[in-house]
């Protein structure tokens, strides 16, 4: 989680400084993910099935912290001939579990989008948001499924014709794989709505690292 958070901070700093587009950051994240998967496969081949395996024992149920990186694919335009291109979202999410089935989540995030105005070089739109919502937990043996419903508000910088504040609502489903009793990795997919000049919908695909306590 610490390494993932550090990587997120560097990635967001590069985008805020207009040194990289979100696709550059997402490409780097994909490279890291493929490297981890390749390492898992090679370890099993070299050690004849004795490589790393996912933990299946009991895990703490009180709470967890996730560091996440998410690709955001906007569907449609924001209005006034403006269109958001593929964005990158990064942040931290805290989840407090009430029992083995339900919990409450709070997240802080930063998202960067290239803003295509159709007549000039894309300008970067940066947003900073807070969201809260409910999380369910469904154990399937090999992994845990976590449907999540979040609602929140965002501050939009460098807005131009876009409103300064917007509201968001997102529904996602995550698959969580335990590495140890206190650490896990996961992936999620979801659908998000945000208010700008008009109601904008997006599809999201993300990865996260988790520590439990």
């Amino acid at each position: 989680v610490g390494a993932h958070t550090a990587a997120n901070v560097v990635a967001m700093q590069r985008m805020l400084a207009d040194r990289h587009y979100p696709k550059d950051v997402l490409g780097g994240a994909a490279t890291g993910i493929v490297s981890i998967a390749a390492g898992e496969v090679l370890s099993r081949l070299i050690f004849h099935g004795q490589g790393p395996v996912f933990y299946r024992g009991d895990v703490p149920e009180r709470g967890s912290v996730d560091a996440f990186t998410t690709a955001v694919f906007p569907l449609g335009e924001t209005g006034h001939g403006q269109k958001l291109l593929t964005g990158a979202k990064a942040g931290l999410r805290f989840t407090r579990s009430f029992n083995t089935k339900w919990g409450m989540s709070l997240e802080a995030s930063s998202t960067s989008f290239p803003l295509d105005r159709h007549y000039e070089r894309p300008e970067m739109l940066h947003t900073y948001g807070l969201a809260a919502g409910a999380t369910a937990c469904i154990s399937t043996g090999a992994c845990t499924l976590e449907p999540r419903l979040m609602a929140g508000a965002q501050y939009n910088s460098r807005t131009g014709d876009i409103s300064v504040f917007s509201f968001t609502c997102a529904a996602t489903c995550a698959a969580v794989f335990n590495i140890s009793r206190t650490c896990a990795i996961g992936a999620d997919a979801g659908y998000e709505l945000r208010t700008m000049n008009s109601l904008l919908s997006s599809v999201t695909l993300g990865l996260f690292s988790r520590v439990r306590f």
Side-chain angles (χ1 to χ4, degrees), residues 8-204:
N8 278 345
V9 169
V10 173
M12 298 312 297
Q13 186 277 327
R14 297 297 290 173
M15 288 189 290
L16 289 172
D18 291 339
R19 298 295 184 181
H20 285 300
Y21 282 118
K23 286 185 177 180
D24 300 329
V25 171
L26 296 173
T31 301
I33 294 161
V34 171
S35 298
I36 293 171
E40 172 75 14
V41 173
L42 288 174
S43 68
R44 290 182 177 275
L45 291 175
I46 294 172
F47 297 106
H48 305 290
Q50 299 301 312
V53 295
F54 290 118
Y55 179 77
R56 293 174 180 268
D58 295 333
V59 298
E61 299 174 358
R62 290 180 296 175
S64 62
V65 175
D66 299 346
F68 62 88
T69 305
T70 302
V72 184
F73 304 97
L75 308 173
E77 297 188 351
T78 63
H80 303 292
Q82 302 175 121
K83 182 178 181 180
L84 294 181
L85 304 181
T86 300
K89 178 180 180 180
L92 291 173
R93 178 170 51 243
F94 169 75
T95 300
R96 177 68 169 87
S97 299
F98 300 132
N99 51 46
T100 58
K101 296 183 180 296
W102 296 97
M104 179 177 175
S105 296
L106 176 67
E107 72 175 39
S109 64
S110 175
T111 311
S112 294
F113 295 98
L115 182 60
D116 185 4
R117 299 181 188 274
H118 301 299
Y119 59 85
E120 59 185 23
R121 181 176 179 270
E123 178 185 2
M124 293 296 292
L125 170 67
H126 305 292
T127 72
Y128 313 93
L130 291 173
T135 300
C137 219
I138 305 170
S139 179
T140 63
C143 71
T144 301
L145 298 180
E146 292 185 358
R148 186 182 305 116
L149 183 63
M150 305 283 287
Q154 292 186 330
Y155 168 75
N156 305 314
S157 68
R158 301 186 185 181
T159 57
D161 297 328
I162 296 176
S163 56
V164 176
F165 293 98
S166 60
F167 297 95
T168 62
C169 182
T172 60
C173 186
V176 184
F177 300 89
N178 297 318
I179 298 175
S180 68
R181 189 171 184 274
T182 57
C183 296
I185 57 175
D188 58 37
Y191 183 77
E192 181 180 83
L193 293 173
R194 67 179 68 218
T195 59
M196 287 189 169
N197 294 343
S198 59
L199 189 62
L200 179 69
S201 61
S202 304
V203 173
T204 62

